[in-house]
Amino acid sequence: MLFTTPEFFIFLVVVILLIELIRKQLWQQIILLLASYYFYWCSGSIHILLLIFVTIASYLCGWRVWKAATLKRKRIWLVIGTIIPLAVLAYFKYIDFGITQINNVLGLFNPGASIPLLEVLLPVGVSFFTFQALSYVFDIYLGKIEHEEKFHRYALFIAFFPALVAGPIVRASEFLPQLKSKISITGANLQAGVTLIIWGLFKKMVIADNIGGYVDTIFANPAGFTSMQIAAATVLFGVQIYCDFSGYANIAIGVGRIFGFKLPENFDMPYFTRNIQIFWRKWHMTLSRFIRDYVYIPLGGNRKGHLRTYVNLFASMVICGFWHGAAWTFIIWGAYHGIMLLLHRYFVGERKWGAGVKFLDSNPAIFVKVLITQALVFFGWMIFRANSLGDLMTCIQKIVFFDFAISGVMKLAVLGCVFMVLVCFVLSFNKKIVELVKKIIFFDYMGYFSRQKVQYWVIYIVIFVALILLLAPPETPEFIYFAF
Amino acid sequence: MKIDRLIERTTGNDRVKKWAVVIAIIVGVVLAYFGLGFYLDIVGVNTYISETKQVVAVYDFYDLKVGEEETAVYFIGSSIIGCGIDSDEINHILKEEGYDITVYNLGIDGNDPFEQSLQIQNIIDSKPALVIFGETYNRLIQQTWNEEVVFLVNDKITLRPDAIHLYSLDEIWTILKPHTYLDNKRFIESAKKYTPKGIEQTDSVVSTDLYTLTKGASWRYNEENNPNYKGYEGIVDEANSGSWSPVITDEMTNAKEALIYNAQTLMDAGIPVVILNMPLHPLISAHVTEESRENFFALLDSTGALWYDYEFACPDDEYWYKDGHHIAPETGAKMFAPQMAELIIELEENNVIHHS
């Protein structure tokens, strides 16, 4: 059941009405839980058994960690509680990738030999709910939370339908305390939630879905297109993935908000960041913090010397890339960002390049830093989006050995972009203009529309719903992150 | 400062009531929905659809129920009927021979028996005296649903209970789900570029050639200018493409099942049915295997309807064919018209045509 279909909105209205009518806390939570399971069944049918299995297994392991009398026992149950969700994730997501790599190696020694692929169907949201289950067990072990005595609340935390299939990755410490009080749907939360939902639908259906066709065409056969077209498709993919994923997050957070739940933000203007370190604090924030807290820090973080810090950074980013999918392009993308973080840490963090140079903190310099950072990020998107290693090599060749074959319309577009960049650079010398632009870009629009008086808020709804109805393509593709 | 004041004036809803928010949502969505409909009207999407979409014109035609006033013969099929039947010429011949019968060209591009099954109730209700299906070998392979065709005439389709077995659940949902004007927004860009031709169909004036009518009054097949005109080399390529050999196996497909259903349902409703194996260019015919022909004729036998084989009716002549399986509308259809008129006269003399 996609967020962008009428069926989902009918489902949502029914759930809201039921929650409103039933005022008992226990029954409200059970209705939400059953609704979440129904939502997942519509998305993945038989895989609901997997969701239930992971829920029960992680709950029991968390309980055992909590109850364990000795540190040794805690660790044993922590390991079990880690292995089970990871084993589920590994099997359903990576088993065929692993078999393919084994077959590639076997093929070197014995050309005819190969292990047949299992062709396992990837359960929707498996990367997300397994990570949530992991975080629960970890946080109990680390003493950050107590074991949740009511199983249905824990089950609801794992299965909560807005965040179930594509995040945000919610921590138990963020969500479970919110279940201690009755669900009350207030006018303010309803308005805030609907504002976010409409904005998310706009980003997904109007921007991301309309771009997707062009991007898919180019990346399906990069050899058949010019360097400029590949560059354009890469930029558009960067916009598409941001609008698709952040749009989904907006809808998820908006739906949660309607019920009075605060889900963590996943994006914070990542394409305006001035270096790669800040980028990763603003892009897919819930995954970044998960990797930081449960991979990077346990590996030692930055506490074991420079070399080990770099290794930990690199490994964390490779794991982040691998989490996105069972393909070498994702691993290379993760490694690419790992190298960039590493280099940033070395040159800026340790060697303190540019420290003390006042100009580098000026607005024009920051503008240039943003451009360079985003150029590197968008190059990474090309790696991320390529369908295979072969296609990736083709794309890189075409970008590195640019053919400058530009059609009339593209020429105008390129000239226009260059002109805009130059104008922005010149204007960045004016502090007042920069302050005004910052105010416009970083203004809390969602906060404003959420607090608007209803007679003005109607205008927001009319404009954005009309744009969605008019500009959304007839067929709405799935959200990109469903595939992860 | 002005902006701050504007923000201050337009915000402040910490105690907003739920019902006010719900009403705002409903009002906003309704205004957006109807506002979009208004925009579609301004752009002229409805005019564009009614003047260019053959399937819309055909279903509108069925609503006229011409069979109640006259002896109407319907030619139904894909573009092979659309291009191959010159209804004006046939009507002219029939009139000269003293027969009070009116022939209608109801061809729809891409139409196949599977889609034709949606039209059956509408055909029955419009009471024709005879229905002639024009088919050829490649229209009977397993067909997929053309959603656009369905939603364009969604409000006119009657899903007959005895036809449900022909469709999958998804296909049934396509028919049953309510069609809104939002489905028409895909035509906005085309409608903006379209110049309305002012084509009207009234009760008293009905074009017999809906096929060319709905392409716009200025559309005419032109050998030199029409990009679809393939020429002899094009026909050779088509013949060698492999798509005609083998083309009909003895396996049942949804199109075959639908053809049987269509013929039998119309005949059960008292409407005579004739099926024509439409002309093919000799180069194409040469690639059709005997096995395909046998399977095809066995299928036609199983419908219970009268059928006629016109595959070899037209000579290998540059004026007859537009491509390997379409008669040239301007020239070939005119030359084919006497054979069609002769067939109708023969059917009339043999009391096949039903007069109400």
Side-chain angles (χ1 to χ4, degrees):
Chain A
M1 198 193 294
L2 292 181
F3 278 179
T4 52
T5 56
E7 293 81 23
F8 173 74
F9 289 102
I10 296 170
F11 162 81
L12 181 62
V13 166
V14 169
V15 175
I16 291 171
L17 285 172
L18 284 173
I19 296 292
E20 260 296 277
L21 290 170
I22 292 164
R23 298 293 176 135
K24 288 225 180 284
Q25 183 184 356
L26 172 67
W27 284 107
Q28 284 181 331
Q29 290 170 359
I30 290 183
I31 284 168
L32 268 184
L33 178 62
L34 292 174
S36 298
Y37 282 152
Y38 173 74
F39 178 85
Y40 192 72
W41 183 79
C42 289
S43 307
S45 4
I46 196 76
H47 290 137
I48 192 171
L49 297 175
L50 187 71
L51 174 66
I52 293 171
F53 168 72
V54 168
T55 304
I56 295 172
S58 56
Y59 181 77
L60 286 173
C61 290
W63 174 60
R64 296 300 298 200
V65 169
W66 174 252
K67 278 277 186 221
T70 63
L71 187 60
K72 185 177 174 188
R73 279 192 177 275
K74 278 189 191 295
R75 282 197 177 140
I76 290 170
W77 284 106
L78 172 68
V79 166
I80 297 172
T82 304
I83 287 174
I84 293 175
L86 283 181
V88 163
L89 186 62
Y91 175 77
F92 283 95
K93 198 164 174 177
Y94 301 109
I95 191 76
D96 281 334
F97 176 73
I99 292 173
T100 306
Q101 306 319 309
I102 293 172
N103 285 340
N104 289 341
V105 172
L106 280 177
L108 294 173
F109 301 105
N110 185 357
S114 75
I115 305 168
L117 295 176
L118 298 179
E119 293 182 3
V120 177
L121 216 57
L122 181 69
V124 174
V126 67
S127 305
F128 294 91
F129 65 73
T130 49
F131 269 31
Q132 286 191 185
L134 279 171
S135 78
Y136 175 72
V137 180
F138 282 138
D139 283 352
I140 291 180
Y141 175 80
L142 293 170
K144 289 184 183 177
I145 56 169
E146 294 178 355
H147 164 69
E148 172 55 62
E149 300 217 335
K150 308 232 187 282
F151 173 73
H152 71 275
R153 284 190 192 161
Y154 177 73
L156 180 56
F157 154 65
I158 295 290
F160 189 47
F161 70 90
L164 177 57
V165 291
I169 301 172
V170 187
R171 300 272 178 99
S173 56
E174 290 168 321
F175 193 78
L176 289 173
Q178 298 186 70
L179 289 175
K180 291 202 189 320
S181 47
K182 197 172 69 167
I183 298 171
S184 181
I185 298 175
T186 65
N189 279 339
L190 187 59
Q191 182 172 345
V194 170
T195 302
L196 283 169
I197 291 169
I198 290 175
W199 178 232
L201 288 173
F202 178 82
K203 281 201 279 190
K204 158 68 175 159
M205 295 171 79
V206 174
I207 304 176
D209 289 350
N210 280 311
I211 287 171
Y214 180 78
V215 169
D216 290 346
T217 304
I218 304 283
F219 280 99
N221 177 29
F225 294 94
T226 65
S227 302
M228 196 67 233
Q229 286 170 319
I230 290 174
T234 301
V235 169
L236 287 174
F237 177 68
V239 174
Q240 180 197 2
I241 194 170
Y242 171 72
C243 289
D244 190 285
F245 197 15
S246 67
Y248 182 95
N250 286 141
I251 298 170
I253 294 167
V255 171
R257 184 70 182 269
I258 289 175
F259 295 108
F261 295 117
K262 285 206 96 174
L263 300 181
E265 290 289 342
N266 233 355
F267 298 89
D268 183 12
M269 312 286 270
Y271 288 158
F272 291 96
T273 51
R274 70 181 80 169
N275 64 54
I276 200 68
Q277 190 180 54
I278 300 176
F279 173 80
W280 276 103
R281 287 193 206 137
K282 309 252 181 189
W283 176 273
H284 201 172
M285 299 191 292
T286 56
L287 176 67
S288 304
R289 67 177 189 180
F290 184 97
I291 298 285
R292 181 196 66 208
D293 292 346
Y294 304 118
V295 179
Y296 178 68
I297 290 175
L299 284 176
N302 61 0
R303 288 171 283 118
K304 304 219 169 170
H306 294 308
L307 186 61
R308 183 63 184 268
T309 303
Y310 298 143
V311 169
N312 294 341
L313 253 180
F314 185 77
S316 300
M317 290 313 298
V318 168
I319 289 171
C320 176
F322 199 39
W323 174 88
H324 281 81
W328 285 109
T329 47
F330 294 121
I331 297 171
I332 293 169
W333 173 78
Y336 168 79
H337 274 274
I339 291 169
M340 284 206 292
L341 280 168
L342 221 140
L343 290 172
H344 178 267
R345 190 178 177 88
Y346 176 70
F347 288 108
V348 177
E350 286 178 30
R351 298 292 294 265
K352 308 272 185 229
W353 266 24
V357 179
K358 262 192 173 171
F359 176 71
L360 289 178
D361 289 329
S362 67
N363 289 326
I366 291 172
F367 176 72
V368 172
K369 284 185 205 175
V370 169
L371 278 182
I372 294 171
T373 302
Q374 299 314 317
L376 292 170
V377 165
F378 277 70
F379 183 84
W381 287 134
M382 188 176 69
I383 303 171
F384 188 93
R385 181 59 183 81
N387 286 338
S388 65
L389 284 179
D391 282 357
L392 174 60
M393 288 316 301
T394 305
C395 291
I396 292 176
Q397 266 177 341
K398 292 221 172 196
I399 296 296
V400 170
F401 302 106
F402 213 86
D403 59 28
F404 293 102
I406 308 177
S407 68
V409 172
M410 262 302 193
K411 243 185 226 168
L412 276 173
V414 168
L415 284 172
C417 285
V418 170
F419 179 71
M420 287 285 300
V421 168
L422 286 172
V423 164
C424 289
F425 179 71
V426 166
L427 289 176
S428 66
F429 283 91
N430 184 317
K431 284 193 177 149
K432 277 197 176 151
I433 291 178
V434 170
E435 286 311 309
L436 177 63
V437 168
K438 271 188 185 173
K439 258 192 183 170
I440 294 170
I441 291 175
F442 294 103
F443 178 74
D444 182 12
Y445 292 98
M446 289 299 106
Y448 167 68
F449 288 119
S450 299
R451 292 177 294 114
Q452 258 190 327
K453 293 176 182 166
V454 281
Q455 59 266 39
Y456 301 111
W457 188 59
V458 170
I459 303 170
Y460 166 83
I461 296 180
V462 171
I463 292 172
F464 278 92
V465 170
L467 286 172
I468 291 167
L469 292 176
L470 178 65
L471 300 173
E475 301 295 330
T476 309
E478 263 189 1
F479 289 89
I480 294 175
Y481 265 71
F482 273 24
F484 306 144
Chain B
M1 293 305 142
K2 278 186 188 166
I3 293 178
D4 290 334
R5 246 185 274 152
L6 176 69
I7 292 171
E8 210 181 294
R9 235 188 324 165
T10 55
T11 54
N13 73 334
D14 293 335
R15 295 211 187 107
V16 67
K17 299 274 187 244
K18 265 178 286 192
W19 60 261
V21 174
V22 169
I23 288 174
I25 294 169
I26 293 170
V27 167
V29 170
V30 166
L31 281 177
Y33 184 81
F34 285 106
L36 184 56
F38 184 62
Y39 174 70
L40 288 176
D41 281 338
I42 292 173
V43 163
V45 167
N46 286 336
T47 306
Y48 168 77
I49 288 172
S50 64
E51 291 189 359
T52 65
K53 298 298 171 188
Q54 296 155 342
V55 67
V56 170
V58 166
Y59 275 81
D60 284 345
F61 168 79
Y62 289 141
D63 285 345
L64 298 176
K65 296 189 180 13
V66 297
E68 289 176 349
E69 308 282 328
E70 61 190 27
T71 305
V73 173
Y74 296 169
F75 276 89
I76 292 173
S78 65
S79 50
I80 57 171
I81 283 289
C83 292
I85 300 299
D86 187 336
S87 48
D88 288 339
E89 183 66 18
I90 298 171
N91 286 330
H92 172 71
I93 296 170
L94 288 173
K95 197 172 171 184
E96 284 211 321
E97 296 294 325
Y99 291 92
D100 184 19
I101 296 172
T102 311
V103 155
Y104 292 91
N105 178 342
L106 303 179
I108 303 172
D109 284 343
N111 200 234
D112 58 70
F114 187 50
E115 267 178 28
Q116 286 156 16
S117 65
L118 293 175
Q119 302 173 37
I120 295 303
Q121 189 58 48
N122 303 74
I123 295 170
I124 292 171
D125 292 342
S126 73
K127 301 182 170 57
L130 172 69
V131 168
I132 301 178
F133 288 109
E135 304 295 345
T136 190
Y137 302 97
N138 71 350
R139 301 312 301 161
L140 296 168
I141 54 175
Q142 186 74 11
Q143 298 289 351
T144 53
W145 212 237
N146 185 338
E147 278 211 31
E148 184 177 293
V149 161
V150 175
F151 80 65
L152 278 172
V153 291
N154 178 271
D155 53 343
K156 293 186 188 288
I157 291 174
T158 306
L159 182 59
R160 290 174 56 101
D162 60 358
I164 286 176
H165 68 281
L166 295 172
Y167 316 118
S168 68
L169 281 175
D170 283 343
E171 286 160 352
I172 291 173
W173 174 239
T174 314
I175 301 167
L176 293 177
K177 74 176 177 184
H179 166 229
T180 69
Y181 66 80
L182 289 177
D183 292 313
N184 292 345
K185 71 177 185 184
R186 68 190 69 196
F187 302 117
I188 287 177
E189 288 311 309
S190 302
K192 282 182 187 170
K193 295 175 202 160
Y194 177 69
T195 309
K197 301 284 186 290
I199 298 167
E200 286 178 23
Q201 280 181 203
T202 65
D203 284 351
S204 58
V205 176
V206 176
S207 169
T208 58
D209 192 355
L210 288 153
Y211 188 77
T212 53
L213 175 74
T214 52
K215 293 237 181 202
S218 63
W219 182 84
R220 280 291 179 264
Y221 165 71
N222 183 311
E223 281 188 19
E224 283 156 13
N225 297 334
N226 190 328
N228 288 329
Y229 179 65
K230 289 191 176 178
Y232 190 76
E233 291 84 12
I235 296 174
V236 169
D237 288 342
E238 186 184 336
N240 293 332
S241 69
S243 58
W244 289 90
S245 171
V247 69
I248 295 196
T249 64
D250 55 7
E251 278 174 30
M252 187 52 77
T253 65
N254 59 1
K256 289 183 191 174
E257 218 180 322
L259 180 64
I260 296 169
Y261 168 80
N262 297 343
Q264 290 180 352
T265 306
L266 286 174
M267 288 188 294
D268 287 346
I271 297 170
V273 173
V274 167
I275 304 175
L276 306 182
N277 182 17
M278 292 293 285
L280 285 182
H281 193 284
L283 285 180
I284 303 294
S285 288
H287 282 265
V288 177
T289 61
E290 281 314 308
E291 189 193 340
S292 287
R293 281 201 184 82
E294 278 170 21
N295 289 332
F296 186 39
F297 297 155
L299 173 69
L300 296 181
D301 283 336
S302 68
T303 63
L306 285 171
W307 62 268
Y308 296 85
D309 183 9
Y310 280 88
E311 182 182 341
F312 301 99
C314 306
D316 176 8
D317 183 307
E318 64 183 271
Y319 293 107
W320 278 92
Y321 288 99
K322 178 168 93 104
D323 57 42
H325 58 291
H326 288 101
I327 293 172
E330 278 290 295
T331 50
K334 232 177 197 54
M335 294 190 279
F336 188 54
Q339 294 186 56
M340 290 294 97
E342 194 183 313
L343 170 67
I344 289 169
I345 290 169
E346 180 190 322
L347 292 169
E348 170 70 350
E349 294 302 321
N350 291 338
N351 295 317
V352 172
I353 295 179
H354 177 255
H355 294 267
S356 56

